[in-house]
Amino acid sequence: MRFGSIIKVALRALMRNTMRSILTALGIIIGVGAVIAMVSIGNGAKAQVEAQVASLGQNVITVFSGSMSSGGMRGGWGSSPSLTIEDAEAIEREVTGIVGVSPEVRDRNQVLANGLNWNTSVNGESPDYPDIRSWKIASGAMFSDQDVRSVAKVCVIGKTVADQLFANSDPVGQTLRIRNIPFKILGVLDSKGFNLFGQDQDDAVLVPYTSHMKRLSRRSYISSILIQAANADVIDKVQKDITEVLTQRRKGREPDFTVRNQVELAQTATATTQTMTLLLAAIASVSLLVGGIGIMNIMLVSVTERTREIGIRLAIGAHGSDVLMQFLIEATILSSLGGVIGILLGIGSSQLVSHLNGWPVLVSTASIVIAFVFSAAVGMFFGFYPARKAAQLDPIDALRYE
Amino acid sequence: MPPVVKIEEIHKIYDSGEVPVHAVRGVTLEIERGDFVALMGASGSGKSTLMNLLGCLDRPTRGRYLLDGIDVSELDRNALADIRNQKLGFVFQGFNLLARTTALENVELPMLYGDRKFTTKQIRERAMHCLDIVGLSQRSDHFPSQLSGGQQQRVAIARALVNEPQVLLADEPTGNLDTRTSAEVMGVFQRLNDEGITIVMVTHELDIARFCKRNLILRDGMMVRDEAVANRSLSATELEKLSSAEAAAKLTGAKS
């Protein structure tokens, strides 16, 4: 039988029981809609995480000091006093393909200004820091290498600190007291928002790392080193070189540091959302399966109802394969129409979720194509058994069926 | 010219139940081209089974069946379907038209199956031509539910004719029709037969069988009588008689 005629017959059969067809397709509609919506929301979350990772800076490599054990108690990464300014200088000197290095020392302090006080993170950094983190200065300027060398009492403050302490005045040029030591505010950083872990990145004060080590924390070691590679192609080589330089400097002792790059960080960060997306899609797929069973059910009813029609077709010369195709196509049309409506519903509902909750959603073409192909395949798979049952009917029995 | 249907010692035994049923016990039969045969017998005589065998809907347990010179007794399911499609036309008691499908589309149906490739235009033209033969070209776009029983049966006849079959098989074609309509439908068959089409029909009504040229009577799966119809009824005269004496017709009319 010709394909055009089969399609026509199938459409007519579906239209004969419009309500039943719609209800049957509803299973697929809901299933596909749920898959599309879940995957879109998952993808949106993933894209957001990726954007946050990118906001940490481009091509950034971080060296953490190792963990320290004392009396059987093992500290976490960064607890060992093993990274020094000399390490940072050695990296800057010996590794090629890097555009910025910033040794980091961090602690929390109560800071005072303008008769107000605020507890915030005070970070010792180098002047390269804003460039490494792709962080702009909103007003004023970053401290200079000269400030680092002279252990200057200068600082640059984050947006949150500025808002908390200088609500009505320009902080640039004013004085911020950290541990009662007056630091001159040189600039205010642009707002960067929250990081991956929900911390307010703008709630920080940057000071030269030398000033931090000698005037504030009085530590002789640094907790980490931020390094920016020139581009993404050299990042692996730079990472290897850094490891080599630091290992050499330790002269055969156990390596007490770890070197991580941004890509690894991004992978770790997106792994969770990826798992979530998969889980949600798996749950949604179950409803697609249930929809498929609904199709099988209705097709079986349809075959029984139309036994006589099948008998007529067989008597006047239809092959079993013609009848098989007819019912298979009918099931496939039903499920793929359901798929199309489901895709529209999924896009609509994910947009709605995005609108109501402010979640980022990302509808990908791939998920639409896969959902459509999958829904058509569900129809074919679950339509096969009823179609085969119809094809194997005996024409005499089928014609006699009441 | 060889006979269009040639059956030699054909047997059909059903053994699906507890006791095997020997429905047809060695029937031998030849039907020439242009013949018009009525197959008669009481219920259980095996006439329906013989009809199913003739119609290639079923295979004989033993014996040979040559249809238009082709031995069809050993053909498989699909080959039988092709034979039915190209060499046979079926008319059933219950009309068996597809519901919610126009008369024209019902008639087109056999052309959609089988190997022969027609263009959409050819299909339409041939179907219209066949509807014209049975006098229903005016109602080609009607659904079966909008047609009377006689009209539905005429659509079924048009459908049976559309692939130019060697034999037209009719299983109680007037069983669901009243006397007048039966006479009309038999008139259509007689006209087709006059044009050279071979017709075999099953009936249990004597006055319907008298429209045919030859009557075969089956009893217990065996052929007990094979005779030419001496005083053949003609549709036109029968209809005239009916018009003049409705009351008389009711006494001898269709049972349904």
Side-chain angles (χ1 to χ4, degrees):
Chain A
M1 197 175 177
R2 290 190 293 178
F3 201 67
S5 320
I6 296 184
I7 302 259
K8 206 168 124 191
V9 168
L11 283 177
R12 183 178 295 153
L14 290 175
M15 260 148 23
R16 196 173 303 168
N17 290 300
T18 320
M19 192 62 185
R20 188 163 87 182
S21 301
I22 292 170
L23 288 174
T24 310
L26 200 59
I28 295 291
I29 293 173
I30 292 174
V32 169
V35 169
I36 292 281
M38 293 303 150
V39 170
S40 299
I41 291 168
N43 280 344
K46 199 174 142 210
Q48 195 182 35
V49 169
E50 277 165 358
Q52 282 172 336
V53 169
S55 83
L56 291 177
Q58 290 288 303
N59 310 319
V60 175
I61 298 168
T62 314
V63 182
F64 298 100
S65 58
S67 72
M68 185 181 68
S69 301
S70 68
M73 202 164 83
R74 300 173 69 210
W77 293 125
S79 60
S80 146
S82 61
L83 280 180
T84 59
I85 291 172
E86 287 73 34
D87 287 328
E89 284 169 355
I91 290 167
E92 198 166 15
R93 205 169 46 240
E94 291 170 32
V95 179
T96 55
I98 56 181
V99 293
V101 173
S102 178
E104 288 190 306
V105 203
R106 301 187 164 191
D107 60 6
R108 290 197 77 85
N109 275 300
Q110 207 71 18
V111 297
L112 291 90
N114 231 359
L116 296 164
N117 68 84
W118 183 248
N119 187 282
T120 187
S121 172
V122 177
N123 305 344
E125 303 284 354
S126 85
D128 289 342
Y129 182 74
D131 288 338
I132 295 173
R133 297 283 317 272
S134 331
W135 206 344
K136 289 195 181 65
I137 310 285
S139 63
M142 186 62 185
F143 49 76
S144 63
D145 285 330
Q146 173 59 35
D147 293 324
V148 173
R149 279 196 293 277
S150 62
V151 200
K153 290 184 276 185
V154 291
C155 68
V156 171
I157 61 174
K159 182 78 169 34
T160 306
V161 178
D163 288 345
Q164 291 297 330
L165 301 177
F166 304 96
N168 303 314
S169 58
D170 184 8
V172 177
Q174 301 205 45
T175 302
L176 183 76
R177 299 182 79 87
I178 310 170
R179 293 204 181 180
N180 229 12
I181 301 163
F183 280 72
K184 192 182 174 207
I185 299 170
L186 296 181
V188 179
L189 288 162
D190 218 355
S191 175
K192 207 172 177 69
F194 293 88
N195 73 1
L196 282 177
F197 317 104
Q199 287 166 332
D200 181 3
Q201 299 180 89
D202 299 323
D203 189 7
V205 173
L206 306 183
V207 299
Y209 61 91
T210 47
S211 312
H212 197 287
M213 292 166 78
K214 296 201 172 113
R215 296 184 191 278
L216 300 172
S217 56
R218 297 181 193 285
R219 273 190 280 190
S220 56
Y221 57 92
I222 55 181
S223 53
S224 55
I225 307 169
L226 284 184
I227 298 120
Q228 187 175 31
N231 54 58
D233 299 332
V234 300
I235 195 160
D236 285 335
K237 185 187 162 292
V238 168
Q239 187 176 358
K240 218 175 88 212
D241 291 351
I242 290 167
T243 314
E244 217 161 88
V245 167
L246 292 179
T247 310
Q248 267 175 17
R249 283 177 56 78
R250 273 144 188 75
K251 296 195 181 71
R253 277 184 287 128
E254 277 288 295
D256 51 3
F257 59 89
T258 42
V259 186
R260 306 279 295 274
N261 71 40
Q262 197 101 73
V263 181
E264 294 166 342
L265 190 62
Q267 280 166 352
T268 318
T270 50
T272 321
T273 52
Q274 206 133 32
T275 312
M276 277 307 284
T277 309
L278 258 173
L279 188 73
L280 291 173
I283 293 168
S285 306
V286 172
S287 62
L288 205 53
L289 185 77
V290 174
I293 294 169
I295 285 188
M296 174 136 83
N297 189 10
I298 283 303
M299 290 311 292
L300 280 172
V301 171
S302 182
V303 167
T304 310
E305 270 180 359
R306 283 151 68 194
T307 302
R308 221 172 214 291
E309 178 195 320
I310 296 163
I312 298 167
R313 290 179 185 276
L314 289 172
I316 62 171
H319 287 194
S321 57
D322 292 322
V323 174
L324 183 95
M325 273 305 273
Q326 187 188 324
F327 281 90
L328 209 52
I329 296 245
E330 203 174 307
T332 310
I333 287 178
L334 195 61
S335 69
S336 42
L337 275 183
V340 169
I341 300 172
I343 287 168
L344 296 179
L345 188 81
I347 294 172
S349 58
S350 57
Q351 296 299 340
L352 192 72
V353 163
S354 146
H355 189 72
L356 293 180
N357 297 358
W359 293 355
V361 295
L362 193 73
V363 183
S364 70
T365 322
S367 66
I368 290 173
V369 172
I370 291 170
F372 179 76
V373 171
F374 198 71
S375 63
V378 161
M380 247 179 261
F381 181 81
F382 287 101
F384 186 77
Y385 173 70
R388 205 184 56 140
K389 211 180 144 195
Q392 287 176 339
L393 282 174
D394 182 73
I396 299 170
D397 294 338
L399 277 172
R400 249 188 236 136
Y401 186 84
E402 291 297 333
Chain B
M1 220 170 162
V4 65
V5 169
K6 188 172 167 59
I7 285 176
E8 292 167 356
E9 270 301 307
I10 210 164
H11 288 261
K12 183 68 193 179
I13 303 164
Y14 295 107
D15 45 16
S16 52
E18 282 175 26
V19 188
V21 179
H22 208 147
V24 173
R25 305 162 183 249
V27 172
T28 299
L29 172 68
E30 281 186 10
I31 297 172
E32 301 294 335
R33 268 169 222 281
D35 212 346
F36 189 177
V37 180
L39 200 56
M40 299 182 67
S43 56
S45 61
K47 63 182 193 298
S48 290
T49 306
L50 185 59
M51 198 65 173
N52 286 339
L53 291 172
L54 284 174
C56 293
L57 289 164
D58 211 348
R59 267 178 299 211
T61 313
R62 278 206 305 278
R64 231 155 68 98
Y65 173 17
L66 295 175
L67 173 64
D68 196 24
I70 302 166
D71 189 350
V72 297
S73 14
E74 300 297 329
L75 292 180
D76 69 8
R77 206 174 136 93
N78 283 345
L80 284 177
D82 289 335
I83 291 281
R84 290 197 296 272
N85 184 246
Q86 278 144 42
K87 299 212 178 287
L88 299 170
F90 289 91
V91 178
F92 304 96
Q93 179 176 4
F95 322 135
N96 279 342
L97 297 177
L98 296 187
R100 295 189 186 83
T101 306
T102 63
L104 186 66
E105 283 171 321
N106 264 295
V107 176
E108 284 173 355
L109 203 58
M111 289 185 283
L112 301 180
Y113 296 109
D115 316 326
R116 276 176 295 176
K117 296 277 174 276
F118 298 104
T119 63
T120 311
K121 192 162 165 274
Q122 279 174 321
I123 289 177
R124 187 119 307 186
E125 278 169 2
R126 286 178 67 133
M128 276 310 279
H129 173 68
C130 289
L131 275 178
D132 205 29
I133 291 175
V134 298
L136 281 176
S137 50
Q138 300 303 310
R139 300 188 181 257
S140 62
D141 56 345
H142 285 219
F143 292 119
S145 55
Q146 296 167 317
L147 297 171
S148 71
Q151 287 169 334
Q152 287 188 54
Q153 195 60 298
R154 274 146 69 192
V155 172
I157 294 170
R159 182 178 67 189
L161 287 175
V162 82
N163 267 352
E164 294 166 343
Q166 299 295 320
V167 183
L168 196 63
L169 296 168
D171 191 357
E172 305 251 14
T174 58
N176 285 11
L177 302 174
D178 61 34
T179 316
R180 169 174 286 277
T181 324
S182 296
E184 281 170 4
V185 166
M186 288 316 293
V188 173
F189 280 126
Q190 282 188 331
R191 204 158 33 113
L192 292 172
N193 182 241
D194 291 344
E195 284 162 21
I197 292 171
T198 314
I199 300 170
V200 179
M201 67 161 61
V202 165
T203 184
H204 58 262
E205 292 165 61
L206 251 165
D207 40 326
I208 291 297
R210 288 185 54 217
F211 281 92
C212 305
K213 287 178 179 167
R214 182 178 169 196
N215 285 1
L216 302 174
I217 297 172
L218 278 169
R219 188 180 298 148
D220 299 328
M222 284 180 287
M223 194 79 74
V224 293
R225 202 183 300 168
D226 181 353
E227 58 184 16
V229 178
N231 194 8
R232 210 177 153 206
S233 305
L234 286 173
S235 172
T237 40
E238 290 304 309
L239 283 170
E240 216 168 282
K241 274 193 229 163
L242 278 169
S243 310
S244 57
E246 288 283 357
K250 270 178 189 160
L251 292 173
T252 56
K255 288 184 176 92
S256 54

